[in-house]
Amino acid sequence: QVQLVESGGGLGQAGGSLRLSCAASGSIFSIYGMAWYRQAPGKERELVAAIGTGGSADYSDSVKGRFTASRDNAKNTVYLQMNSLKPEDTAVYYCNADLLLRTGVRSFHWGHGTQVTVSS
């Protein structure tokens, strides 16, 4: 009933930029926090950026100053602008959303992920 669909991943060059999007759809009444995570091969999934309903965001130290998260509440969409890319940013990037469904249930949902590969 709920889908989070990421897009915008692909191949980038070191020093370049990519922009990810994540659109939430389905039986959603309200969206609270949204976040981006990433998982590199052989590593645990880690939080990259978290953004509240008002648009304020927190970032991991590894991306602070290079990545910017934003959201469009009217479109139920969160974005991740990634600048000054580094090869170590290579990972599958996942969107996560804290949702209140029309059923009255509040729960976290994940997207299926989008691959980002940064070449040196």
Side-chain angles (χ1 to χ4, degrees):
Q1 287 188 331
V2 173
Q3 278 191 312
L4 296 181
V5 179
E6 300 101 336
S7 61
L11 180 63
Q13 291 188 333
S17 299
L18 286 173
R19 189 188 193 215
L20 306 183
S21 300
C22 172
S25 63
S27 185
I28 300 169
F29 182 79
S30 182
I31 301 179
Y32 298 104
M34 302 184 82
W36 288 97
Y37 287 75
R38 68 185 181 186
Q39 188 166 18
K43 295 187 177 181
E44 293 186 354
R45 191 173 297 189
E46 63 172 351
L47 177 65
V48 174
I51 184 166
T53 54
S56 61
D58 292 310
Y59 302 91
S60 67
D61 288 343
S62 61
V63 307
K64 197 172 296 183
R66 301 188 298 119
F67 290 10
T68 302
S70 60
R71 61 190 287 174
D72 184 333
N73 292 330
K75 295 182 179 179
N76 288 346
T77 300
V78 62
Y79 305 95
L80 186 67
Q81 178 66 43
M82 305 186 295
N83 298 330
S84 302
L85 287 167
K86 301 177 180 180
E88 50 263 44
D89 294 323
T90 295
V92 178
Y93 283 71
Y94 297 90
C95 173
N96 175 275
D98 179 4
L99 305 177
L100 178 62
L101 306 182
R102 295 188 186 278
T103 58
V105 173
R106 182 172 177 176
S107 58
F108 288 94
H109 294 260
W110 290 93
H112 291 292
T114 184
Q115 175 71 46
V116 170
T117 302
V118 181
S119 62
S120 58

